[in-house]
Amino acid sequence: MKFPSKLLKKAVPMLALSVAFSSGSAFAAERSQNLGIPQQIDSYQHRRVHIQLLGINDFHGQIDVTRKVGGRAVGRADYLAAYLKQRESENKNTLLVHAGDAVGASSPVSALLQDEPTIEILNTLGFDVGTVGNHEFDEGVDEMLRLIYGGTHPATGYFSGAKFPYVAANVIDKETGKPILPPYVIKKVNGIPIGFIGVALSDTPSIVTPSGVAGVEFTDEAEAINKAVAELKKQGVETIVVLAHNPGISNTDGSNASGEIVDIAKNVDDEVDVMFAGHNHSYLNAEVDGKLLVQSYSYGTAFSDVDLQIDPRTKDVVSKKAEIVTTYQDAIKPDKKIKRLIEKYEEKVAPIINQVIGTAKATITDEQNASGESALGNLIADAQRDAMKTDFAFMNPGGIRADIEQGEVIWGELYNVQPFSNQLVKMTLTGEQVRRLLNQQWQSNQTRMLQISGLKYTWDSKKPIGEKVVDIYLPDGTKLDPNAEYTVTVNSFLADGGDNFTVLTEGKNREVGPVDLDALINYIKKLPQPFDANIEGRIQKVS
């Protein structure tokens, strides 16, 4: 059968286009050339799908808190929201994610309402997936699951929960042997399936009170990720993102990347394309073993913008890059909807938060000197020793979350300093146990300098771990007697061996006292006003 020449001219390009879509690129290009068809048809066939991932980590319910970076105001949920919405408007293929510690150690505006305000804000912004950090376990597994799935709390009533899925491949129910949350979720964007795997910090049991992790165990992150990757690959998922609450850090040019997330990246399947990190509140934007690793500080002061170019035929990532964006308040107007939500929550808790407790003569910070002592650490340790009437007190530095600013000090400010509501615990230790406790500050992977009250000591950096403490002195200048017994105050987190201070689990004659925040408030009220605290040489590094 003969075709009219006009129809034949139309049929030839259609035939070439059909061949191009069903053939390899080289073959398609050859056919195009033979038929005299422009190369643009072949390039159209290979058009990449541009997908944007906007991520935060370690938000810690700081919905109403402004911080400073380079003298400029940053943070607050309404400004963060404005930035995220602005970026989202630039690419319809956008997903919002978080890498854990969205709640816990929160601002009182969120914490006093069981962190429901933070989850509601993430819901309002349209977050697509998140994972759990160690702080999600602060009030136990049941309360964590209530925030995620919904339920009733005696203080706040019914809450509907998160409108987006949480994933955690390595948090296992001890009874069933199965993950308490889905290991992964698949999100389809413009026809591209993307697998999101979540992992929590496997060290969580050592940094959360035992009641917080009762009934669950934390398995190796890399093993859990690889198991989930294998399942995703069976389902044809080629683009895989990991949300990991594991620390990492790099230079701003991407060099010198280090931390747990780097080690994990080297041990997970190469099908993993991107890994969001968290926990150490640092900057990370680097490529390690073919994986793009990002972390954007903390508290909503920045976010990670990850751009992926994906081949629509293979459904796999062909290029990727990231930017860590600081949420400067002077560069954008706050989101009105989120601002109204914050104001609603602030109004609810205002009577509690705005109580004036005292007046600070100068700003009191938790910044440690070269020996490991801080003015704020001294103040808190003194308050705890005073509350329990003991010989000594020891305070973990990770429990101090903000400074006390100069001027009028309100309840809400002190809550930000000590937001965990740990009870104080009095116990008896021997002098030898106190020495072992102080030596536990230096561990193989980290140094944590306890803030102290009622004693002084010297330490030598050149001595081996376990032997760094040199001399320990009592207030009268005499040395600590290794055989004598002394009364000690710590918070409940430390009393249960938190931060690997296991000597404290040996303490005898335990007596539970007030909440740590109440002890600080009552102590400040008793001080001459305006009050002050200073570094006094309680801890001295001799070499």
Side-chain angles (χ1 to χ4, degrees):
M1 182 176 180
K2 288 184 99 177
F3 290 96
S5 59
K6 189 179 286 187
L7 289 177
L8 186 60
K9 286 179 181 177
K10 289 183 178 179
V12 168
M14 290 174 66
L15 173 65
L17 188 60
S18 174
V19 171
F21 270 91
S22 60
S23 308
S25 57
F27 179 72
E30 185 181 346
R31 292 286 296 194
S32 299
Q33 289 173 348
N34 290 343
L35 293 170
I37 298 170
Q39 290 286 328
Q40 283 89 329
I41 292 177
D42 189 49
S43 63
Y44 174 81
Q45 160 207 350
H46 291 114
R47 185 172 59 191
R48 296 171 177 177
V49 178
H50 175 203
I51 292 176
Q52 179 177 245
L53 306 177
L54 303 179
I56 60 172
N57 56 274
D58 300 277
F59 185 51
H60 289 292
Q62 304 293 293
I63 61 174
D64 64 324
V65 179
T66 294
R67 286 179 164 76
K68 293 287 183 71
V69 171
R72 297 169 67 186
V74 297
R76 275 186 60 102
D78 44 356
Y79 288 93
L80 171 65
Y83 275 96
L84 294 177
K85 286 184 177 181
Q86 182 186 67
R87 293 283 171 131
E88 200 170 10
S89 70
E90 296 168 0
N91 186 345
K92 64 179 182 179
N93 300 324
T94 296
L95 294 174
L96 302 181
V97 305
H98 79 73
D101 278 8
V103 299
S106 305
S107 158
V109 172
S110 180
L112 292 176
L113 299 171
Q114 290 302 124
D115 274 323
E116 292 170 12
T118 296
I119 299 299
E120 187 177 349
I121 284 174
L122 298 183
N123 285 343
T124 304
L125 288 174
F127 266 71
D128 294 281
V129 60
T131 193
V132 292
N134 51 288
H135 281 286
E136 268 79 10
F137 294 88
D138 282 348
E139 294 192 30
V141 173
D142 289 345
E143 174 61 4
M144 178 185 76
L145 294 177
R146 186 190 73 87
L147 278 180
I148 294 172
Y149 293 121
T152 302
H153 189 280
T156 55
Y158 179 76
F159 179 63
S160 59
K163 293 180 180 178
F164 57 93
Y166 273 71
V167 288
N170 70 326
V171 186
I172 309 300
D173 187 307
K174 288 181 178 178
E175 284 190 12
T176 66
K178 295 179 180 179
I180 64 170
L181 292 166
Y184 60 85
V185 67
I186 300 171
K187 295 281 183 177
K188 224 165 192 179
V189 184
N190 202 9
I192 306 294
I194 305 176
F196 288 91
I197 302 167
V199 286
L201 184 72
S202 59
D203 291 339
T204 296
S206 70
I207 54 177
V208 172
T209 56
S211 61
V213 292
V216 295
E217 61 181 337
F218 295 75
T219 63
D220 180 79
E221 295 94 335
E223 290 178 10
I225 291 168
N226 285 335
K227 182 179 178 182
V229 169
E231 293 181 19
L232 287 168
K233 286 162 72 173
K234 286 179 184 177
Q235 299 176 59
V237 178
E238 297 293 337
T239 298
I240 298 176
V241 177
V242 172
L243 306 177
H245 195 71
N246 293 86
I249 190 170
S250 75
N251 294 335
T252 53
D253 64 0
S255 61
N256 294 327
S258 62
E260 283 184 21
I261 196 69
V262 171
D263 299 331
I264 294 170
K266 293 175 181 177
N267 288 298
V268 299
D269 195 304
D270 287 340
E271 288 297 327
V272 172
D273 299 291
V274 181
M275 302 182 77
F276 286 82
H279 190 57
N280 65 324
H281 300 194
S282 296
Y283 175 101
L284 174 63
N285 185 1
E287 191 162 316
V288 174
D289 194 38
K291 292 100 176 172
L292 179 61
L293 312 183
V294 294
Q295 182 182 188
S296 47
Y297 299 108
S298 60
Y299 304 139
T301 60
F303 64 94
S304 305
D305 184 340
V306 174
D307 292 300
L308 305 178
Q309 298 282 348
I310 298 177
D311 188 322
R313 299 169 311 163
T314 65
K315 306 290 193 293
D316 204 357
V317 175
V318 291
S319 73
K320 53 200 173 190
K321 64 178 181 178
E323 178 188 5
I324 308 301
V325 185
T326 301
T327 55
Y328 292 114
Q329 292 183 2
D330 58 16
I332 203 166
K333 291 183 178 179
D335 181 80
K336 292 180 180 178
K337 190 172 185 180
I338 300 301
K339 186 177 181 181
R340 285 196 297 269
L341 281 177
I342 295 171
E343 289 169 350
K344 179 185 76 172
Y345 307 134
E346 286 178 332
E347 189 176 340
K348 280 187 176 182
V349 301
I352 299 173
I353 288 177
N354 294 328
Q355 294 176 57
V356 177
I357 306 303
T359 303
K361 186 184 297 184
T363 296
I364 305 171
T365 79
D366 68 343
E367 183 178 352
Q368 296 179 4
N369 66 4
S371 295
E373 181 182 347
S374 76
L376 186 51
N378 286 347
L379 178 69
I380 292 171
D382 286 348
Q384 296 183 357
R385 184 165 68 98
D386 177 77
M388 300 299 283
K389 309 303 179 192
T390 55
D391 297 314
F392 313 138
F394 301 97
M395 175 63 193
N396 56 307
I400 306 173
R401 308 299 288 200
D403 298 335
I404 295 177
E405 301 294 335
Q406 181 180 19
E408 195 173 75
V409 178
I410 61 174
W411 186 97
E413 186 176 357
L414 294 178
Y415 185 97
N416 284 333
V417 173
Q418 289 193 277
F420 298 111
S421 298
N422 287 317
Q423 287 185 294
L424 298 184
V425 179
K426 178 180 180 179
M427 64 177 69
T428 302
L429 296 177
T430 65
E432 184 270 337
Q433 287 172 317
V434 169
R435 177 176 287 274
R436 283 197 288 123
L437 170 67
L438 292 174
N439 272 313
Q440 284 189 329
Q441 295 173 121
W442 295 274
Q443 298 164 15
S444 59
N445 60 342
Q446 194 168 5
T447 298
R448 293 185 177 92
M449 298 300 291
L450 294 169
Q451 301 303 291
I452 64 172
S453 176
L455 72 164
K456 296 181 179 180
Y457 72 92
T458 58
W459 64 277
D460 189 339
S461 63
K462 296 177 183 177
K463 290 185 177 293
I465 288 176
E467 301 176 20
K468 291 187 181 293
V469 174
V470 183
D471 293 313
I472 306 172
Y473 298 95
L474 300 174
D476 63 3
T478 61
K479 287 188 178 180
L480 188 79
D481 183 348
N483 299 311
E485 290 189 335
Y486 301 93
T487 53
V488 170
T489 300
V490 293
N491 60 43
S492 52
F493 169 71
L494 282 176
D496 291 331
D499 282 344
N500 293 315
F501 287 104
T502 56
V503 171
L504 291 168
T505 63
E506 303 170 11
K508 299 186 301 181
N509 307 320
R510 290 192 171 212
E511 179 185 322
V512 177
V515 170
D516 51 9
L517 174 61
D518 292 339
L520 179 60
I521 288 170
N522 292 333
Y523 185 69
I524 288 174
K525 285 180 176 178
K526 292 194 297 184
L527 293 175
Q529 302 295 323
F531 70 94
D532 202 2
N534 299 285
I535 291 174
E536 303 170 356
R538 299 181 186 187
I539 307 171
Q540 295 184 11
K541 180 181 177 182
V542 294
S543 67

